[in-house]
Amino acid sequence: MKELGIVVSGSTIGSIPVQLYRSAERYAVEEQLVGIVDRENPGEVVVGFLRRVTKLEPVIRDRVRTPYVDRPEMVDYGILLPYTSAIVKPYVALRDGRLAEVSNVVTPGSKVYLLDPSLLEGAFAGSFIYVGEHKYSGWRLPLDPAYVTHHVGVFGATGMGKSRLVRALINELAARGRKVIIFDHTGVDYAPYYGAVVKSTEIRIPPNVLASVIAKVAQLQWQTYGEYLEIATMTYEGRWSREGFIAHLRRVMKRLNARDSTIEKAELFLKQLASAEFFEELNNRVKTAEDILSAEASPFVVDLSYDTDLSVKQAIVASVIEAAWSKVKRDKAPANMIFVVDEAQNYAPQTWTISKDAIETTVREGRKWGLSMVLASQRIVGDIDPSIRANLGTVFFSRLTAPTDLREISSYLDLADINESVLAQLQPREFFVAGLMNPLRKPVLIRTREVA
Ligand SMILES: Nc1ncnc2c1ncn2[C@@H]1O[C@H](COP(=O)(O)OP(=O)(O)OP(=O)(O)O)[C@@H](O)[C@H]1O
């Protein structure tokens, strides 16, 4: 292994200060994978990552006025001795080729090496999946698919490669027998890449969800109209049309003694705000959510781009997830099913939406029933409801658009002091992986593998 430097005074169990040799400067980068062999415990390699890489100079010190500032030409006389210091965040120890916890404080004077990734590869045995390699060492980061049931979040600014990463992940999961259902918001990120795709406009919306959609579309207050709409959608018979539904709703409201003005408002709003096509299209929705769940193919894509109204898209997501819940409760058996929601700000935001309850229930309680969520979005705070984001056991994150997002992730996952400025410089395809699927449990910077 290439020697990079030595441990200097001040090391603790969680942070090891090191100084790097001049000859090793080119390896002195943030997130470099290193190994430290403790001089008093040579049978063990402490594995960690370089952070806070800092260039220092003993003469021209920060905040101290030196003559060199007034006589800069003196700098050229070769009197400067710049050096690089950093800290190593220890993640895990390798003892006789096996993984162990870091339990000893490393002795100053110990050597720091560039870690050969094959040492780590040998230490991870089991059925792992892979979506990419550590950015510098090329170590294929093993991910434990068992923890997908603790749910997954993928966050990063636009163009960083979220949907490619999600595809890499779900391809691996599907290849291991997991049933994956993808809700493709735009129809461009997933539908073109998979054979099994259903248009959302073919999927039936169950009456209770349809009532919410109609209330949203026609801007009818749920408090006043919810019950009438639910009864009307449940009891409607025959071919769907706007006129037919309005007439039926009127009868229902009359029977339930609604005030004339309330009935009139419903009629007027439905005529003005809900299009006739919306009702016509309900006739083409012949596939049930159960049909989607029982499809053989995995991954299976629901292409939501055929529906333009967001509340209809949300209704489809809600009804498929709710049908999965009904199935597991009915069968009293876990389902081994993963739902992927990209552009999740549309489906699980802080405000009320038709799909949020189903997603929230799944991230809170889906684990016991084998129902998992993979959510992808640009932002965390603001895009995703707090009770949903706090239940994401594994988070992949790249360059984030808001600095508050990193703080948010750090409130429920150990981020081991990763540097915000490193995050700002990440290139497309570069993601930190933090949380349960990562066996090191602390963030590792990967470059996702090529996804066509
Ligand atoms: N793993 C990868 N393999 C190959 N190309 C990639 C990969 N990841 C990202 N790219 C490149 O980056 C581009 C953006 O990727 P992608 O569409 O996945 O980003 P995104 O974060 O989902 O963006 P948006 O938020 O706009 O949907 C791709 O078109 C591709 O050129």
Side-chain angles (χ1 to χ4, degrees), residues 44-45 47 91-103 123:
E44 186 173 293
V45 181
V47 177
Y91 272 32
V92 72
L94 285 173
R95 214 171 284 148
D96 308 320
R98 295 227 186 85
L99 296 177
E101 266 187 41
V102 181
S103 48

Side-chain angles (χ1 to χ4, degrees), residues 157-164 189 343 429 448-451:
T158 179
M160 294 308 284
K162 292 184 294 296
S163 37
R164 306 267 174 147
D189 287 329
E343 311 282 347
R429 283 169 76 166
T448 54
R449 68 153 187 254
E450 184 74 27
V451 178

